[in-house]
């Protein structure tokens, strides 16, 4: 099979330059077939968390425990209720689909909820869930909107977390393949873009090392408030299982479905812009190291999905804590993608921290031996670069969205420049359509285009083919927090 590698999004390091030149461009400047859409995920938009047979995911559990500041996704933006009744009440307006079609979007990125589709994690299907996702997909297709689907967005069923520790156990690979098989069989006739995993590189760090995201695993002194976990070894183990699950799902698709469904598989990664704090040799080397860990570990540089093995620096510094691929696994992981999804929100500066390698007791970050500095106050970082979206702080009122207009204008323009330079970029997904329950910011952040009217207006003008500029001059705000960048 011809390997069709393309980037859904691209890391743009020269955003700052792009922002300040207010050249006009329009949608016609993009190649035909290039798609624009919003991105969402199941738990963040579906609501109906305990209805119609859905079982809790690890995300529900921690939100009920109050770990997410009391917020939950029980109702969220209630996308579930918008679609589940469609068969019974044909005239019911599909509010969000209409909104999307009117805005001129041509693709919709969403994720399927594993605990809704297969509530026990394996075994019986939930027919209501099949109905719901069928409606959601069909409704979009009938409005000319492509469905791009992620299988996993941090939300596996709590039951398998209880049973064998979820991603800590290799058993999950088998269950994940069975779940993927159901999705491909039921929806693959209409869905052409399948992303296996969303941001596994964030999951390993935030969920299993620092313990800031579900299922909150960590050990001190690396992470503080976890009741279980081991920051030293588990992030690597979890990541290994994630990669094996990803590669197995892609293999399944290639063997069983791709020939007739003619779609594409990819994996989605969180890519940071990485810069040295100073130009000292130490910081420059630290940045290269950190790039291998945070980015190269998964994309672009020597990395598993391209080369079938982990980068050398990661292998060297993590030692035996990093599981090794067998020859068979390496073959399966190598080339296990048709496209790479790149989520890009922030840039980070790195400061050398080689001293951390002197300690025998190390976590993923100590192995990286570089300190991450999110410097929002620095002019370079006043625009945390959110590829899929930009968060406007709550205090940004509905009418003061000019910074986001400039941001989107600059970003979309940089994507255009990259395409003109020969990059094979096929789509741009903005996070998000409606405000969702955000991973880090709960409901207090505001990524939604429709949360803030001006950027929706700008995007809509652009999508309808109008030439657009960013000539809404504003004083750059300081209310952006890259750590709240969510996905
Ligand atoms: C850990 O939990 C304690 C008590 O609940 C809280 O005061 C503290 O802020 C938490 N620390 C972190 C890093 O979350
Ligand atoms: C974590 O795992 C490492 C390596 O397997 C082990 O040496 C260490 O004792 C474990 N730490 C905790 C807190 O369980
Ligand atoms: C490092 O050097 C480059 C090229 O000379 C320069 O553009 C950049 O601003 C310098 N960075 C720092 C942090 O000093
Ligand atoms: C960040 O801003 C401070 C204060 O203006 C400046 O001294 C420092 O060099 C800046 N750092 C970078 C990397 O630009
Ligand atoms: C396009 O290519 C030029 C020349 O190689 C380079 O300077 C520029 O940064 C590139 N722009 C993008 C957006 O990649």
């Amino acid at each position: 099979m011809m390997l069709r590698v393309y980037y859904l999004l691209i890391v743009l390091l020269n955003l700052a330059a792009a922002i300040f030149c207010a050249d006009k461009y329009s949608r016609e400047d993009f190649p035909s077939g290039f798609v624009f859409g919003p991105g969402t995920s199941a738990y963040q938009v579906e609501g109906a968390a305990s209805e119609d047979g859905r079982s809790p995911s690890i995300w529900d559990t921690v939100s009920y425990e109050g770990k997410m500041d009391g917020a939950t996704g029980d109702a969220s933006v209630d996308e579930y209720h918008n679609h589940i009744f469609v068969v019974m009440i044909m005239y019911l307006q599909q509010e969000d689909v209409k909104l999307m079609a009117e805005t001129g979007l041509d693709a919709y990125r969403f994720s399927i909820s594993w605990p809704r589709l297969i509530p026990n994690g394996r075994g019986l299907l939930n027919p209501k869930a099949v109905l719901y996702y069928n409606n959601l997909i069909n409704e979009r297709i009938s409005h000319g909107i492509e469905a791009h689907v992620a299988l996993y967005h941090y939300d596996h069923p709590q039951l398998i977390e209880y049973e064998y520790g979820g991603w800590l156990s290799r058993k999950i690979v088998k269950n994940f393949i069975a779940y993927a098989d159901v999705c491909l069989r039921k929806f693959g006739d209409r869905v052409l873009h399948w992303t296996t995993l969303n941001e596994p590189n964030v999951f390993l760090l935030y969920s299993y090392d620092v313990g800031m995201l579900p299922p909150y695993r960590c050990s001190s002194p690396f992470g503080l408030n976890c009741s279980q976990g081991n920051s030293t070894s588990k992030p690597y183990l979890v990541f290994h299982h994630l990669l094996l699950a990803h590669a197995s799902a892609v293999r399944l698709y290639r063997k069983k479905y791709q020939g007739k469904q003619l779609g594409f598989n990819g994996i989605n990664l969180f890519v940071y812009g990485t810069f040295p704090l100073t130009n000292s040799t130490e910081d420059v080397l630290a940045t290269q190291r950190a790039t291998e860990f945070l980015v190269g570990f998964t994309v672009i540089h020597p990395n598993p999905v391209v080369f079938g093995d982990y980068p050398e620096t990661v292998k060297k510094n993590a030692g035996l804590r990093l599981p090794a691929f067998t020859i068979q696994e390496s073959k399966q992981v190598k080339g296990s993608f048709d496209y790479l999804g790149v989520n890009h929100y922030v840039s980070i500066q790195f400061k050398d921290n080689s001293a951390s390698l002197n300690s025998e007791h190390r976590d993923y970050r100590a192995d990286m031996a570089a300190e991450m500095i999110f410097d929002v106050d620095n002019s370079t970082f006043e625009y945390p670069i959110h590829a899929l979206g930009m968060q406007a702080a709550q205090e940004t009122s509905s009418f003061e969205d000019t910074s986001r207009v400039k941001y989107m204008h600059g970003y979309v323009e940089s994507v255009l420049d990259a395409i003109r330079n020969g990059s094979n970029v096929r789509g741009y997904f903005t996070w998000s359509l409606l405000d969702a329950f955000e991973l880090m910011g709960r409901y207090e952040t505001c990524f939604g285009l429709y949360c803030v009217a001006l950027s929706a207006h700008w995007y809509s003008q652009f999508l309808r083919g109008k030439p657009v500029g960013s000539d809404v001059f504003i004083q750059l705000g300081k209310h952006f927090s890259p750590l709240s960048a969510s996905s």
Side-chain angles (χ1 to χ4, degrees):
M1 204 211 83
M2 190 178 64
L3 184 68
R4 294 185 50 172
V5 180
Y6 59 87
Y7 294 85
L8 277 179
L9 283 163
I10 192 161
V11 198
L12 298 160
L13 301 177
N14 62 347
L15 178 71
I19 280 174
F20 296 105
C21 68
D23 285 347
K24 291 206 171 189
Y25 56 82
S26 81
R27 193 172 186 165
E28 281 171 20
D29 294 318
F30 284 81
S32 70
F34 191 94
V35 297
F36 286 93
T40 64
S41 88
Y43 187 62
Q44 289 163 288
V45 298
E46 287 183 3
S50 52
E51 288 176 41
D52 289 349
R54 183 184 179 280
S55 72
S57 72
I58 55 163
W59 210 338
D60 297 82
T61 309
V62 299
S63 70
Y64 291 144
E65 284 168 2
K67 286 218 174 75
M68 309 197 83
D69 312 328
T72 74
D74 281 359
S76 193
V77 298
D78 213 14
E79 193 176 78
Y80 184 78
H81 289 129
N82 264 338
H83 289 89
I84 195 67
F85 298 122
V86 68
V87 175
M88 292 166 261
I89 315 170
M90 291 305 286
Y91 59 83
L92 190 83
Q93 288 296 354
Q94 305 282 298
E95 296 296 338
D96 57 340
V97 186
K98 248 183 77 193
L99 197 63
M100 285 177 60
E102 280 164 11
T103 311
L105 296 163
D106 34 29
Y108 179 66
R109 177 177 171 241
F110 65 99
S111 75
I112 290 178
S113 159
W114 183 352
R116 190 182 292 289
L117 192 65
I118 307 180
N120 291 336
R122 58 162 171 265
L124 288 184
L125 273 189
N126 173 4
K128 282 268 176 78
V130 177
L131 172 69
Y132 165 64
Y133 290 112
N134 271 332
N135 291 344
L136 187 118
I137 293 163
N138 294 344
E139 197 43 48
R140 273 154 184 81
I141 289 175
S142 73
H143 283 84
I145 296 164
E146 291 176 9
H148 289 235
V149 178
L151 293 175
Y152 183 73
H153 197 109
Y154 306 135
D155 58 347
H156 60 276
Q158 179 64 42
L159 280 174
I160 62 179
E161 185 70 20
Y162 284 141
E163 195 181 323
Y164 54 73
W167 291 105
L168 290 172
S169 165
R170 211 184 156 110
K171 286 187 185 153
I172 198 169
V173 175
K174 210 172 139 208
N175 291 163
F176 183 78
I177 301 170
Y179 159 63
D181 196 17
V182 169
C183 295
L184 299 169
R185 189 170 73 240
K186 294 281 179 196
F187 314 119
D189 56 333
R190 287 151 291 151
V191 173
L192 296 182
H193 294 84
W194 291 101
T195 300
T196 53
L197 307 173
N198 183 71
E199 300 172 349
N201 55 335
V202 169
F203 194 57
L204 98 149
L205 175 61
Y206 284 95
S207 299
Y208 293 90
D209 184 351
V210 294
M212 283 167 63
L213 287 180
Y216 291 89
R217 299 280 181 262
C218 62
S219 57
S220 81
F222 309 108
L224 294 177
N225 283 341
C226 304
S227 57
Q228 297 172 53
N230 186 335
S231 304
T232 298
S233 53
K234 302 303 188 198
Y236 295 110
L237 186 68
V238 162
F239 191 66
H240 196 70
H241 294 150
L242 284 159
L243 279 176
L244 294 179
H246 154 76
S248 310
V250 171
R251 182 159 170 261
L252 171 77
Y253 188 67
R254 289 180 176 168
K255 272 177 65 179
K256 198 167 160 188
Y257 297 102
Q258 200 162 28
K260 41 183 197 282
Q261 296 183 347
L262 308 174
F264 309 97
N265 275 176
I267 185 167
N268 174 289
L269 300 146
F270 193 94
V271 172
Y272 308 82
T274 55
F275 301 95
L277 181 65
T278 71
N279 277 333
S280 70
T281 310
E282 290 78 13
D283 287 352
V284 170
L285 290 176
T287 305
Q288 286 171 8
R289 215 160 43 230
T291 309
E292 276 199 34
F293 270 81
L294 296 169
V295 183
F297 198 27
T298 42
V299 244
I300 302 173
H301 290 296
N303 77 81
V305 294
V306 176
F307 294 102
D309 200 4
Y310 295 114
E312 285 308 318
T313 315
V314 179
K315 287 205 284 193
K316 184 167 153 244
N317 294 3
L320 291 174
R321 288 170 289 130
L322 179 68
F325 291 112
T326 64
I327 292 169
Q328 189 55 35
E329 288 166 354
S330 165
K331 269 196 195 145
Q332 199 172 317
V333 168
K334 185 174 175 171
S336 58
F337 64 101
D338 303 315
Y339 63 87
L340 292 175
V342 174
N343 286 4
H344 188 234
Y345 295 81
V346 294
S347 293
I348 310 178
Q349 289 171 299
F350 293 94
K351 184 172 183 294
D352 176 59
N353 186 23
S354 315
S356 68
L357 291 172
N358 298 334
S359 163
E360 259 182 50
H361 192 50
R362 302 198 295 265
D363 69 336
Y364 173 83
R365 287 170 304 160
D367 288 335
M368 183 165 87
E371 192 183 323
M372 297 163 77
I373 299 164
F374 294 90
D375 186 357
V376 263
D377 285 339
N378 227 299
S379 58
T380 343
F381 292 90
E382 267 178 1
Y383 271 106
I385 311 168
H386 296 183
L388 292 186
M390 179 175 181
Q391 167 197 353
Q394 192 77 333
E395 66 265 30
T396 312
S397 79
S398 319
F399 305 102
E400 291 183 62
D401 190 24
T402 45
S403 57
R404 204 146 59 152
V405 168
K406 288 195 80 157
Y407 161 80
M408 281 178 72
H409 182 272
Y411 210 106
V412 173
E413 183 177 47
S414 298
V415 172
L416 184 58
D417 283 350
I419 293 170
R420 286 178 170 151
N421 265 10
S423 295
N424 195 358
V425 190
R426 301 294 186 92
Y428 175 89
F429 290 84
T430 298
W431 191 272
S432 176
L433 182 63
L434 297 163
D435 281 321
F437 178 50
E438 291 300 339
L439 266 186
M440 298 278 198
R442 324 304 182 227
Y443 289 110
E444 277 136 45
T445 58
C446 177
F447 276 95
L449 282 178
Y450 284 90
C451 164
V452 194
L454 205 54
S455 55
H457 176 72
W458 179 91
Y459 204 29
S460 175
Q461 295 292 98
F462 166 70
L463 293 170
R464 286 156 196 237
K466 304 236 165 70
V468 289
S470 70
D471 28 18
V472 206
F473 186 74
I474 43 120
Q475 194 66 39
L476 298 189
K478 290 219 165 140
H479 43 243
F480 305 116
S481 154
L483 259 180
S484 316
S486 169
S487 34

